[in-house]
Amino acid sequence: MDLIERTRLFVTGVLEGEPSTHDMSHIERVERTCIKIYEKEGGDLQTLRLAALLHDVGIVREHKEGGNHAEYSAEIAREFLVENGAGKELVDHVVACVLSHRFSRGMQAESIEAKILQDADRIDALGAVGIFRSLVSMGALRALKQTIGTVKETSMNAYTEDPFDGFYDYMERKPFMIPERLNTETAKGIAEQRLTIMRMYLEQLKEETS
């Protein structure tokens, strides 16, 4: 089994039962989008796929302890890759990509691989999948607050008394801000297509709830 498939198996095990939208289906969608952007933008495919697979592996720790899952993911990624015989250059590159991926932290991606990972992760918050993920995530965050008391400070709109208010607030704060923060032209094209779906959905939702 090659390193990429060992990594996939490892991450699948860590994220088994993950209640939020940082689950294995998200990981593999981000991986596929990374490959799609790579085909136009270039980069090192092995680094990119490893970073995509490992970028959210620290989310379970964030649920339990709070903090920043990108930092936890980077720590776990380094330990896993070293244990599996990856070279220092590859390990450092993957870890740098993982550290800079998170939207809400506003970190700058330096390499083309880090830029592509940022773009692919952000694109997964758009379109029909983006709408689905935002609603599932709000429900998961509300449940985590009720069961173990964890509150995610960067997602306070999940806890509004009226969930519609929280959803509208989220939509204003994140999806429509994403295109201006994308790195590659390929990603910007994909984003615009997905935002068309989100605009249509919001118009219909407002009509039905007004």
Side-chain angles (χ1 to χ4, degrees), residues 51 74 78 90-101 107-111 114 117:
R78 183 177 295 280
L90 176 61
V91 172
D92 289 346
H93 198 170
V94 170
V95 167
C97 293
V98 171
L99 270 173
S100 65
H101 84 270
M107 292 189 66
Q108 295 297 312
E110 300 296 333
S111 66
L117 177 60

Side-chain angles (χ1 to χ4, degrees), residues 154-173:
T154 56
S155 301
M156 295 306 292
N157 46 30
Y159 310 109
T160 55
E161 183 176 353
D162 184 341
F164 281 104
D165 291 340
F167 178 70
Y168 287 131
D169 183 63
Y170 166 83
M171 291 296 287
E172 290 174 3
R173 289 175 181 270

Side-chain angles (χ1 to χ4, degrees), residues 183-197:
N183 302 292
T184 65
E185 293 304 314
T186 304
K188 291 174 184 176
I190 298 170
E192 190 51 45
Q193 292 174 357
R194 295 195 178 197
L195 282 173
T196 300
I197 295 170

Side-chain angles (χ1 to χ4, degrees), residues 4-167:
I4 288 174
E5 292 313 311
R6 290 201 303 275
T7 304
R8 188 185 313 280
L9 186 62
F10 167 71
V11 176
T12 299
V14 173
L15 297 182
E16 185 178 3
E18 166 56 33
S20 78
T21 56
H22 295 82
D23 58 3
M24 201 61 201
S25 65
H26 164 69
I27 298 297
E28 293 190 321
R29 284 194 306 273
V30 169
E31 181 190 17
R32 290 194 297 270
T33 304
C34 279
I35 294 170
K36 184 175 182 178
I37 299 172
Y38 155 84
E39 289 171 351
K40 297 287 183 67
E41 304 288 341
D44 181 75
L45 187 57
Q46 183 186 39
T47 297
L48 191 55
R49 293 184 69 187
L50 289 171
L53 289 169
L54 289 160
H55 79 278
D56 280 343
V57 74
I59 193 66
V60 176
R61 183 175 168 189
E62 182 181 281
H63 291 331
K64 294 177 180 178
E65 303 176 20
N68 181 0
H69 75 262
E71 294 177 1
Y72 300 150
S73 296
E75 292 175 17
I76 295 167
R78 183 177 295 280
E79 182 178 353
F80 171 81
L81 291 172
V82 169
E83 287 180 353
N84 280 270
K88 184 179 186 304
E89 184 176 352
L90 176 61
V91 172
D92 289 346
H93 198 170
V94 170
V95 167
C97 293
V98 171
L99 270 173
S100 65
H101 84 270
R102 193 173 180 185
F103 180 89
S104 60
R105 298 290 169 169
M107 292 189 66
Q108 295 297 312
E110 300 296 333
S111 66
I112 184 60
E113 294 82 10
K115 291 176 181 179
I116 291 173
L117 177 60
Q118 270 193 353
D119 285 357
D121 191 44
R122 291 169 181 179
I123 282 171
D124 207 52
L126 301 179
V129 164
I131 294 167
F132 175 82
R133 287 187 68 214
S134 68
L135 297 173
V136 170
S137 181
M138 286 178 66
L141 290 173
R142 292 167 80 97
L144 286 168
K145 181 183 177 183
Q146 292 295 319
T147 55
I148 62 175
T150 300
V151 173
K152 188 175 181 181
E153 294 182 0
T154 56
S155 301
M156 295 306 292
N157 46 30
Y159 310 109
T160 55
E161 183 176 353
D162 184 341
F164 281 104
D165 291 340
F167 178 70

